[in-house]
Amino acid sequence: MTRTYIRQRRSHTRSSIPLIILYGAHFFRKLPVNADRDALVALIDRLDSDVLELRNTIESSIANRCESIRGCYRSSYDECRSSFNSGTQTCPSKEQLGYAIPECGQGLNCNGIFDYGATSVRLPGALANGPNGNPTNPFVIEGICYTRTAERWMVDKYYEEQSFWESLGVPSPQMYYGSGSGMFRIHPARHSRECGAYDPRERPWYMAAVPSTISSLTKPRHVVIVMDTSRSMGQLMDNQANSANPVTKLAFMKNVVTSILRGLSNMDSVSVIRFGERVHLVGHPGSVPPYMWQRANPDLIARIVDAVNAVEVTGRSDWIAGFDFAFDLIDNSLRNIAATSRDNCKIENTALLFFTDGIYNLPDGINDQDIIDFVSSRVEQVEGRGEFFVHTFLYSLNNDDVTQVAKQISCAVDGFWKPVVSSMGIANVTNGYQTLFSTPLGTEFFYNYTTWSEPYIFASSGEPGYTVSALVYNREVDPPRFMGAVGTDISAEASRRIYGGTLEETDQAITEITNENIDTKFNTTCEDTRINLTYCEIQSIRHLSGGRSAICLPPVQKQVQAVAQLPGNTTGDTNTTDTEIIDIETTETVTLFDVFLNCSNAFIQNCPGMDEYPTDLW
């Protein structure tokens, strides 16, 4: 069999060793003796292996997350509300730290309080919604508690590695973990410039590290977005009549769609379709059939985003027309790829994202089953072209009715349905879509996968630099569940001084070295990156995305007593079989997965006493 290899810039495997972060610029007091390519190779290898050890530590903490709740009460430092331990805090100068904190003036003698004997926690303002800035979301609380158990490792590693980094003329380094829930823990502990302003999920280092970004680069995805822009989408989202900033279903959908578009890589392809009574291809005025997806380059994304934001509601809703246009476009695109390339790997990651409020009224006389049958037949037709799947996601805005046709379609085509409310963060709306394309990254083929970001401006120093990161998974479930990312930094200037060239030359050398590492240490086949989910894995992603209401349950057979006429004109009891419909909303999640789905390892079980988690963590 011909092996199709997947290559990515600045992402590669390593063996596991220690971690530390270099942060800031202009802090070298002396150069390494061998300030050349060999020195840069050694530095890259060191940072790669270091970040994987931190990854291992956090994953071990996640495996014991329920036990970590005990002792979590008032045991962490908050970025703004906590006072550090006077015995371990210090105030480094600009020379010692490597950069000046603007609020501290020139920082000649004291450049901000740091505590190298502890870590501190940062939360986006929206998550710090409890008393004294504590979180109320139980999963955020869990993140703070299980990462607290990794604090000792971070502190010990800092002291263990201190002499090594000092030998390079590098001041005390940092290490950190950002969770998918928005929690961020960093060593050393320090106060933030602005409380509640840092969300790791929005930082360049995290966005470069998340599986959805990496998976796009290892195997490009083809995304077709279908927007219901009928008149009912102009109504307000849930209970917002008295809100200071009410949001319509259309406006909310636009925010989600533009976020998806901006998250695509230059290797992906995309098309956006809008429909009401008529269907239109968004961002392509004057285009003619056959319609096909196009490469998601920056110019195309900018044009489609502008067109999406200009869309207005109109007319009634014809779901058949919208789906038909979408599947024709997918079919045309697949035919074009097949005619120009023999690489079937290029067509495997195809996704259809359908946004609606669940209301349809065209064509006249249409019913739920008609739509279900139509979509099912089109999915079957397209998937018949090869060994791949059309991953179908349906989003119902302001509509959580579990009997609605969008939910039924998801069950009929092995797809995913999510009821959407206005309180959801944009990232949470599409977490199922992101998780599905992330599943290959949780396998053994990618276990030692690290990512080097493009140079970006560090939040603390304001200087450009690189982050080396690794993915963190909960490996107690199947498939492993992405939880967040760990990172370690090095400034662009520090890299340049080690290498001995200009900034541009150093960046080119880093690219060459990491690409060489890909070639020698990280080669995956198309089969390694294939998304071929089992029944339980599909149910797991449904549960992650839409909760228990998104799970598709088969009818359950039960034995019932019935009165039967027996010979001799007598009657008696006999067992017959009837069908019982399980109530998803009242059945315990454990029972759903263990008994009715037989998928006990497919979801993350709640810790005992979740309703009694500590409310004061600082």
Side-chain angles (χ1 to χ4, degrees):
M1 177 181 294
T2 301
R3 292 172 64 87
T4 301
Y5 291 103
I6 315 301
R7 298 172 52 121
Q8 180 193 352
R9 181 188 189 276
R10 292 183 181 153
S11 297
H12 39 283
T13 52
R14 298 284 164 205
S15 59
S16 177
I17 310 180
L19 150 83
I20 300 286
I21 292 182
L22 316 177
Y23 204 94
H26 309 300
F27 49 65
F28 273 75
R29 291 187 292 275
K30 62 179 181 179
L31 290 173
V33 175
N34 57 339
D36 55 17
R37 193 177 191 277
D38 290 341
L40 190 59
V41 168
L43 180 69
I44 290 172
D45 287 347
R46 185 67 173 234
L47 292 173
D48 283 342
S49 58
D50 284 354
V51 79
L52 288 172
E53 186 174 342
L54 179 58
R55 184 278 313 276
N56 294 342
T57 301
I58 297 295
E59 287 190 349
S60 296
S61 299
I62 291 172
N64 298 294
R65 63 188 177 88
C66 294
E67 290 79 3
S68 72
I69 303 300
R70 294 193 296 270
C72 193
Y73 173 74
R74 301 193 71 177
S75 61
S76 293
Y77 287 122
D78 175 71
E79 61 175 335
C80 291
R81 297 171 178 82
S82 301
S83 297
F84 300 147
N85 187 326
S86 59
T88 54
Q89 69 180 18
T90 183
C91 189
S93 65
K94 175 183 177 181
E95 181 181 3
Q96 294 171 320
L97 186 61
Y99 60 90
I101 298 175
E103 290 79 358
C104 298
Q106 296 181 348
L108 298 179
N109 298 313
C110 180
N111 200 29
I113 301 298
F114 289 72
D115 187 343
Y116 289 91
T119 60
S120 57
V121 174
R122 302 177 188 174
L123 295 177
L127 296 180
N129 56 350
N132 194 32
N134 278 273
T136 59
N137 185 314
F139 301 108
V140 176
I141 295 173
E142 282 185 11
I144 294 172
C145 294
Y146 69 67
T147 56
R148 182 188 63 86
T149 64
E151 181 179 74
R152 185 71 263 160
W153 180 91
M154 294 184 186
V155 173
D156 290 345
K157 183 57 62 176
Y158 159 70
Y159 288 112
E160 176 186 330
E161 297 280 325
Q162 190 174 19
S163 61
F164 168 78
W165 297 105
E166 286 180 349
S167 71
L168 298 179
V170 178
S172 301
Q174 305 174 131
M175 39 196 137
Y176 49 76
Y177 167 67
S179 76
S181 64
M183 185 279 306
F184 182 77
R185 185 180 287 273
I186 186 171
H187 177 274
R190 70 167 183 258
H191 291 126
S192 299
R193 294 177 180 175
E194 184 179 354
C195 301
Y198 189 93
D199 187 335
R201 299 167 299 184
E202 298 177 354
R203 294 296 298 159
W205 75 269
Y206 188 93
M207 290 187 285
V210 295
S212 58
T213 301
I214 298 172
S215 65
S216 290
L217 297 173
T218 56
K219 181 183 289 186
R221 70 184 68 170
H222 310 291
V223 181
V224 177
I225 301 172
V226 184
M227 303 168 57
D228 182 348
T229 56
S230 61
R231 191 175 298 113
S232 62
M233 292 292 289
Q235 299 170 357
L236 293 178
M237 289 289 284
D238 44 289
N239 301 320
Q240 292 207 347
N242 298 319
S243 172
N245 298 296
V247 177
T248 64
K249 289 179 277 189
L250 177 69
F252 191 93
M253 177 177 64
K254 287 180 179 180
N255 289 335
V256 176
V257 170
T258 55
S259 175
I260 295 169
L261 291 170
R262 290 181 173 128
L264 295 173
S265 80
N266 193 48
M267 297 179 67
D268 297 325
S269 299
V270 67
S271 284
V272 178
I273 299 163
R274 58 164 295 190
F275 74 94
E277 296 183 9
R278 296 182 179 181
V279 187
H280 302 276
L281 193 61
V282 177
H284 296 276
S287 59
V288 296
Y291 302 111
M292 291 180 284
W293 56 51
Q294 294 185 352
R295 181 67 65 87
N297 61 63
D299 290 340
L300 176 68
I301 295 301
R303 186 169 74 245
I304 295 179
V305 166
D306 288 343
V308 166
N309 287 328
V311 165
E312 297 181 356
V313 297
T314 179
R316 295 182 292 172
S317 180
D318 188 341
W319 284 31
I320 294 291
F323 275 116
D324 196 36
F325 191 103
F327 283 110
D328 281 348
L329 185 147
I330 293 172
D331 200 38
N332 292 336
S333 302
L334 295 178
R335 287 173 181 269
N336 182 64
I337 292 176
T340 58
S341 173
R342 294 184 178 181
D343 186 2
N344 290 331
C345 200
K346 293 181 178 180
I347 64 176
E348 289 191 348
N349 284 354
T350 302
L352 172 63
L353 282 64
F354 187 86
F355 292 87
T356 182
D357 58 0
I359 301 173
Y360 65 86
N361 37 41
L362 284 175
D364 294 335
I366 198 77
N367 59 41
D368 288 1
Q369 194 59 51
D370 293 333
I371 297 177
I372 296 168
D373 291 343
F374 179 82
V375 176
S376 299
S377 66
R378 291 307 309 265
V379 169
E380 183 178 354
Q381 174 192 358
V382 172
E383 290 183 346
R385 294 196 172 280
E387 296 182 2
F388 66 94
F389 302 94
V390 177
H391 304 292
T392 307
F393 297 84
L394 301 105
Y395 302 92
S396 296
L397 280 69
N398 209 30
N399 187 343
D400 59 1
D401 181 4
V402 296
T403 66
Q404 66 177 283
V405 66
K407 164 72 181 295
Q408 296 180 63
I409 291 172
S410 73
C411 296
V413 300
D414 285 338
F416 308 89
W417 170 73
K418 180 164 189 149
V420 179
V421 296
S422 61
S423 58
M424 286 182 182
I426 298 301
N428 287 338
V429 174
T430 59
N431 62 344
Y433 156 77
Q434 303 291 6
T435 298
L436 179 134
F437 285 109
S438 305
T439 51
L441 277 299
T443 65
E444 60 179 324
F445 304 108
F446 294 88
Y447 182 67
N448 286 329
Y449 199 96
T450 64
T451 298
W452 278 69
S453 73
E454 298 289 345
Y456 71 100
I457 301 301
F458 289 163
S460 296
S461 67
E463 301 284 349
Y466 306 92
T467 290
V468 189
S469 55
L471 306 172
V472 174
Y473 280 83
N474 183 333
R475 301 186 188 274
E476 304 297 307
V477 293
D478 187 20
R481 185 70 54 79
F482 171 67
M483 301 294 286
V486 292
T488 173
D489 298 346
I490 184 166
S491 73
E493 175 64 13
S495 303
R496 184 197 68 78
R497 294 196 179 200
I498 289 177
Y499 181 59
T502 64
L503 289 173
E504 182 178 357
E505 291 168 343
T506 304
D507 182 67
Q508 182 178 356
I510 291 174
T511 301
E512 292 174 352
I513 293 168
T514 52
N515 280 344
E516 289 172 5
N517 287 332
I518 295 172
D519 292 337
T520 58
K521 299 182 180 181
F522 187 75
N523 284 321
T524 57
T525 67
C526 190
E527 289 79 8
D528 297 336
T529 57
R530 175 166 291 138
I531 300 173
N532 189 12
L533 302 179
T534 65
Y535 170 76
C536 290
E537 289 171 340
I538 292 173
Q539 297 285 28
S540 175
I541 296 176
R542 284 171 175 162
H543 180 259
L544 167 71
S545 175
R548 67 174 69 191
S549 62
I551 296 170
C552 297
L553 286 178
V556 178
Q557 301 296 317
K558 68 174 183 177
Q559 295 296 314
V560 298
Q561 293 293 321
V563 178
Q565 191 72 33
L566 299 178
N569 295 319
T570 60
T571 60
D573 292 340
T574 184
N575 289 326
T576 62
T577 302
D578 195 5
T579 299
E580 178 184 18
I581 303 300
I582 303 303
D583 188 338
I584 289 181
E585 298 302 323
T586 59
T587 304
E588 291 187 5
T589 305
V590 174
T591 303
L592 286 174
F593 276 85
D594 282 357
V595 179
F596 299 118
L597 300 178
N598 194 26
C599 298
S600 58
N601 294 325
F603 79 111
I604 300 175
Q605 297 190 26
N606 292 338
C607 295
M610 178 177 276
D611 56 344
E612 298 177 354
Y613 277 3
T615 57
D616 191 358
L617 303 175
W618 318 130

